[in-house]
Amino acid sequence: MFYRSLVLSVASILVGMPAAGAAARYLSDLPFTLAGAHYYSSAYSDGVRVNGHGTIRTENGSQAYDWPGPLKVAGTTYADGLTFRMIHSGSMSATWMLHKRYSKLTALIGLDDNQDIPGVYPEVTVKFVGDGKVLGTASFASVYGQPVQTPSVTIPLTGVNALKIAVTLGNASDTDLDVINPLLQ
């Protein structure tokens, strides 16, 4: 039994997959592909910021960006998460290959406290799509003078090979939508 566990552990290190019984991990720590990030300039781009890093991943690679602070939603700072940065209203998605290794994803969805343009109140829809099938949706509209909603989601992933998170923003400009603590179990 010891040797079987040792072989599984070594194999997981070599191929980057969790060993049987491995602890949960954050989706934000896994590689992904980006689609639908259409706006790109030398100063601003559509893309995804990972775990509060100072760059965003774009369809054209990475771009340095002068972020004023860490991931923060409703005054609370988070270490783990994904920020979907969109310059205009529209849709963008990121896809992860999960190889049927996880049973669920839990996360909190919210607008980052870092919004470049005051007075922009976007309509948000976040779809979680597993192997082409919608597994869950979170949506809200930001309303002037009211607290911004931060819905939590639990997405079933048993048997899911590829997970796509599709973000659609309406009535938006320079908007940062966060998927906070995206924990895979």
Side-chain angles (χ1 to χ4, degrees):
M1 188 66 170
F2 169 76
Y3 291 109
R4 182 175 184 268
S5 295
L6 179 63
V7 169
L8 285 174
S9 295
V10 170
S12 70
I13 291 168
L14 293 175
V15 297
M17 57 188 268
R25 68 189 305 178
Y26 287 106
L27 183 66
S28 52
D29 294 334
L30 299 178
F32 61 90
T33 57
L34 190 61
H38 298 294
Y39 186 82
Y40 186 83
S41 75
S42 61
Y44 304 103
S45 294
D46 286 349
V48 176
R49 179 184 186 202
V50 178
N51 295 337
H53 289 215
T55 60
I56 58 173
R57 295 181 192 175
T58 70
E59 287 185 318
N60 297 329
S62 292
Q63 181 183 34
Y65 188 79
D66 186 21
W67 295 93
L71 293 168
K72 188 185 279 189
V73 174
T76 301
T77 300
Y78 299 91
D80 297 290
L82 302 156
T83 301
F84 286 78
R85 171 131 180 92
M86 297 175 72
I87 305 304
H88 301 289
S89 294
S91 296
M92 178 174 31
S93 66
T95 302
W96 290 261
M97 296 308 298
L98 301 182
H99 304 289
K100 303 179 183 182
R101 293 184 188 130
Y102 302 99
S103 61
K104 71 178 176 178
L105 169 73
T106 57
L108 178 71
I109 310 298
L111 293 177
D112 197 278
D113 289 356
N114 167 48
Q115 297 299 314
D116 291 340
I117 299 176
V120 172
Y121 303 100
E123 299 163 356
V124 177
T125 301
V126 182
K127 289 185 181 177
F128 297 85
V129 181
D131 299 331
K133 177 183 174 188
V134 176
L135 304 173
T137 302
S139 61
F140 61 88
S142 176
V143 179
Y144 180 75
Q146 295 182 6
V148 176
Q149 300 174 25
T150 52
S152 61
V153 295
T154 299
I155 307 300
L157 295 176
T158 300
V160 172
N161 187 49
L163 174 68
K164 176 168 70 171
I165 297 178
V167 175
T168 301
L169 297 176
N171 191 33
S173 173
D174 287 341
T175 301
D176 301 330
L177 185 280
D178 293 336
V179 179
I180 298 296
N181 290 336
L183 187 62
L184 292 164
Q185 299 176 1

